[in-house]
Amino acid sequence: MSSFAITVVGHDKPGIIAAVTKALAEHGGNVEDSTMTLLRGHFAWTLLVSVEADQTEIEESVAPFASDDLSVTVLPMPEAGHDDLGAHASYWVNVHGADRPGIVATLTGALADQGGNITNLSTRLVNDMYVLGIDIDLPQSVDADAVAATLTSLASDLGVSLSMNAADEDVL
Amino acid sequence: MSDSVSQESEAEQSQTIVMPELPEGRLLDTVVAPAEVLSSPCGDADPTDPEVIQLAADLIASMRVAPGCVGLAANQVGVPLRVFSLDVSEHPKTRTCHGEFVLVNAEILEATRNQKAREGCMSVPDFTGDVKRATRLVVRGQLPVTGEWVEFRTDAFEAVALQHEIDHTNGFLFLDRAAGAHAIHPRQTYL
Ligand SMILES: [Zn+2]
């Protein structure tokens, strides 16, 4: 069994997902994790597919959907998705404010410096209002309050509001 | 004892549901999704039936030994009956608390003030989900042994937990309540 990452990005129209998954199913492909959203109206989809087929077969099966305004790529994926982070704690970072260059680079740079691993990230720009959400895992050895203070200070320099909260889930 | 202290302890006493005495409970294994018993509505139970009384005791015993577990529905131990145990007394988000109890054939009478929070479930160990739940609730249900109907009002975490357990008895998981396509998350395992 092989694993492939397929990306489909471009002009949005109804039926893209139905058509691509039908072609993959006909090759025995199983869609595992996938996420799709619209980015300023553009279709953006990444999916992991496990299948008993080689890269050429998968590329041929999805090639018909590619066009001038829709890009389709196929990449072989290794088994393990990520390095072992060890003991960690999860946080949600929420940022909003006036758009300006460098907000994501500055804040994610500070998180990377602390060994933080981003598990989800979403940025949205509507008119001049910029909203950024980061789910971050910090190694247990890192002082989260100090990270929050650093981020808050950087956000203040950027003129945006930032809050960082422990990702909190209740097992019921 | 001052007046204010005795009033407070009276208020606490009146909130706690006084459970009839139950037999010794046994520890039961938890059913994990996907499983038909978790996704089908459970049947009404006779709270005076000795098997239901034993089930009530088993749910409490099994809930007590599971770390962090605040509630357990009968179908989570494979029994398709409308019975669950609950105890949120140790949880930091609890305000009103009715102690440790079992309700049979419970239903929600009023639910208001929705709030979104991230939930997990012992029967869905690999995922969490962002779920909107009412934080003000009126529920009613029967106590095991006597079959007495109790009706009470609660809030905050006890309200959320009651909705989660009553959902179980109706064949719903928190996955059925997720607030949108991006509201379900893998629970990080980092093997
Ligand atoms: Zn549950």
Side-chain angles (χ1 to χ4, degrees), chain A residues 171-172, chain B residues 71-73 76 119-124 164-165 168 172-174:
Chain A
V171 179
L172 297 166
Chain B
L72 195 60
Q76 290 185 276
E119 276 182 27
C121 174
M122 292 216 305
S123 294
V124 189
H164 181 106
E165 300 311 329
H168 272 305
F172 295 111
L173 298 170
F174 73 86

Side-chain angles (χ1 to χ4, degrees), chain A residues 35 88 137 168-170 172, chain B residues 93 118 120 182 187-188 190:
Chain A
T35 180
H88 66 273
D137 287 347
D168 130 72
E169 61 188 43
D170 301 312
L172 297 166
Chain B
K93 291 184 192 166
R118 194 164 288 190
H182 288 125
R187 214 152 162 207
Q188 296 154 6
Y190 291 101

